Amino acid sequence: MQKKTIFLSLLIAIVFAGYYFGFERCQDQLAYDYSPYCVKCNEQNAEKGDPGSAYNLALYFEGRDPVKSNDWLRTAAERGDRRAVSRALDECGDGKQFSPRSAEKILSDVVAKDPQAMSLEAMYFYLGGYCGPINLELVRTFYVKRADDDLILCRVALKYGEVVRSGTAKDSDQKNVIELLQECMRKSDPDSVTYQDASKLLGALRP
């Protein structure tokens, strides 16, 4: 009985040691449920400039410390973590954490480092999506037909189509929209609302 008690005590001690000192790899843990050891590791890496670690901390502190979570999210976005940039764009606007100007600055910095990075997000921003202004000249600059993310591709195609139908676009914009809508339909389920909306818009835009 005494040996069994000692064994259980050792087992519990090992479990707690693993939780606090990271016997389990941090890569195998969800950021929301990091052990204290993994939180510390990510803080150290984030302080050295790693954007991914900053984003992990933003996730960890969600629901625990909203102020810290927001601070780390801003840090990650400003350092170019694409997940953080996407959230910054989704959460931007007057009176929100990311103002239209700060969101545009973050997006511009990412695209400046890699012109192909987040091109569709940049198009959507300058089509008046997120919290951005309509600037078709910049939209043409960022124009890209294909993307791995079907959702953002279709969002851009539909938004672009709405802007073109308003009558303020050039012929090149109409050509771009038609290509995007066709690509959106190719990647979408024919029974989906997205497919139907793209099909209607395509029919309205074709000569």
Side-chain angles (χ1 to χ4, degrees):
M1 183 68 178
Q2 187 176 5
K3 289 183 178 180
K4 186 176 181 180
T5 302
I6 293 173
F7 174 77
L8 288 174
S9 298
L10 286 172
L11 183 61
I12 292 171
I14 290 171
V15 170
F16 274 98
Y19 179 72
Y20 280 97
F21 299 107
F23 291 170
E24 181 183 0
R25 295 191 314 162
C26 295
Q27 296 94 316
D28 297 331
Q29 298 181 29
L30 294 174
Y32 298 100
D33 298 319
Y34 271 156
S35 66
Y37 170 82
C38 290
V39 173
K40 184 177 180 180
C41 285
N42 275 272
E43 286 176 337
Q44 290 173 343
N45 290 334
E47 287 167 2
K48 293 176 183 177
D50 179 53
S53 295
Y55 184 71
N56 290 339
L57 291 169
L59 296 180
Y60 175 78
F61 284 110
E62 263 186 354
R64 291 182 173 89
D65 189 330
V67 174
K68 275 190 176 181
S69 178
N70 289 340
D71 287 346
W72 281 121
L73 178 62
R74 178 176 290 277
T75 297
E78 289 174 348
R79 290 177 181 172
D81 183 273
R82 293 183 63 170
R83 299 163 299 175
V85 174
S86 293
R87 284 191 56 180
L89 293 173
D90 284 332
E91 298 172 14
C92 72
D94 293 328
K96 296 185 178 180
Q97 182 187 0
F98 295 92
S99 67
R101 180 175 294 182
S102 65
E104 184 175 19
K105 174 68 165 58
I106 288 169
L107 181 59
S108 297
D109 288 345
V110 171
V111 175
K113 293 176 183 176
D114 181 359
Q116 294 301 313
M118 307 194 80
S119 293
L120 284 172
E121 287 84 352
M123 287 181 68
Y124 192 71
F125 186 85
Y126 289 113
L127 284 166
Y130 302 120
C131 60
I134 294 179
N135 187 328
L136 287 177
E137 185 175 343
L138 285 175
V139 170
R140 296 179 202 114
T141 300
F142 292 118
Y143 175 72
V144 59
K145 180 180 176 182
R146 296 183 180 276
D148 294 330
D149 189 339
D150 300 348
L151 179 60
I152 184 64
L153 172 69
C154 290
R155 285 175 73 185
V156 170
L158 293 170
K159 189 72 172 176
Y160 204 172
E162 292 173 6
V163 174
V164 168
R165 287 191 70 186
S166 70
T168 59
K170 294 182 178 180
D171 290 342
S172 60
D173 292 307
Q174 182 159 333
K175 176 179 176 293
N176 291 345
V177 170
I178 289 174
E179 288 181 348
L180 285 172
L181 288 170
Q182 289 173 333
E183 187 70 8
C184 171
M185 292 172 64
R186 188 182 70 80
K187 293 187 172 186
S188 300
D189 182 344
D191 294 326
S192 68
V193 174
T194 297
Y195 183 96
Q196 300 301 325
D197 288 345
S199 178
K200 289 178 183 177
L201 195 51
L202 184 60
L205 289 171
R206 275 177 168 162

